[in-house]
């Protein structure tokens, strides 16, 4: 059941959370680099022929954002978790599993919790 004290997020906070979730693939790659140990003072990632080096702070921040997403996702029922993330990344609501209103509800709750975890509200 929804919390009656739920506050409507400012648009900027809502969109910031949405873009962090849309960036989940890159965050996961950065987290994987961080967790594979260091061989030199910098990490090098090759992506689309672009070579970029990332400082520890960037890698740690990606790890923290992923943890915030994971913790926010924990309040969503398990059967809706993957589709909630995929729906945000793709910009659509999954069809056939649940009604569109169900997806909107869990997306709103997830984004609100993510905003709290990211210390944006």
């Amino acid at each position: 059941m929804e919390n009656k004290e739920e506050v409507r997020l400012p648009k900027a906070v809502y969109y910031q959370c949405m873009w962090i979730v849309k960036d989940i693939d890159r965050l996961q790659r950065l987290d994987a680099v961080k967790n594979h140990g260091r061989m030199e003072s910098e990490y090098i990632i090759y992506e689309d022929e672009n070579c970029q080096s990332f400082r520890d702070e960037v890698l740690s921040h990606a790890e923290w954002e992923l943890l915030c997403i994971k913790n926010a996702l924990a309040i969503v029922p398990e059967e809706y978790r993957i589709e909630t993330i995929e729906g945000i990344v793709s910009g659509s609501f999954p069809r056939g599993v649940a009604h569109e209103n169900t997806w909107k509800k869990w997306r709103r709750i997830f984004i609100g919790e993510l905003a709290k975890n990211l210390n944006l509200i």
Side-chain angles (χ1 to χ4, degrees):
M1 188 160 187
E2 281 186 70
N3 183 358
K4 296 289 183 186
E5 299 174 18
E6 186 176 322
V7 178
R8 187 176 177 102
L9 293 177
K11 282 186 178 183
V13 171
Y14 172 81
Y15 286 115
Q16 188 173 355
C17 290
M18 292 292 283
W19 279 106
I20 287 171
V21 175
K22 287 178 180 280
D23 195 30
I24 197 166
D25 289 337
R26 185 185 69 91
L27 295 174
Q28 289 173 332
R29 285 193 304 271
L30 291 172
D31 187 51
V33 168
K34 182 179 188 308
N35 291 324
H36 277 71
R38 175 185 304 201
M39 299 186 81
E40 297 179 8
S41 62
E42 294 183 325
Y43 291 105
I44 305 295
I45 296 178
Y46 294 91
E47 180 179 343
D48 299 331
E49 299 179 12
N50 294 324
C51 178
Q52 299 177 340
S53 61
F54 296 98
R55 297 184 325 263
D56 284 340
E57 295 83 13
V58 173
L59 300 173
S60 294
H61 190 73
E63 180 180 46
W64 176 72
E65 286 182 338
L66 280 174
L67 182 61
C68 290
I69 291 170
K70 179 182 174 183
N71 290 338
L73 205 55
I75 67 169
V76 176
E78 191 170 347
E79 63 267 23
Y80 300 128
R81 290 177 186 167
I82 293 173
E83 288 87 356
T84 297
I85 295 291
E86 289 176 355
I88 292 171
V89 170
S90 71
S92 63
F93 293 106
R95 300 202 181 270
V97 178
H99 191 274
E100 184 176 319
N101 290 343
T102 302
W103 294 117
K104 288 178 182 179
K105 170 189 170 183
W106 288 113
R107 181 182 288 190
R108 184 179 65 251
I109 291 170
F110 166 69
I111 292 296
E113 188 67 18
L114 180 58
K116 289 177 196 171
N117 292 349
L118 292 168
N119 301 314
L120 298 175
I121 57 172

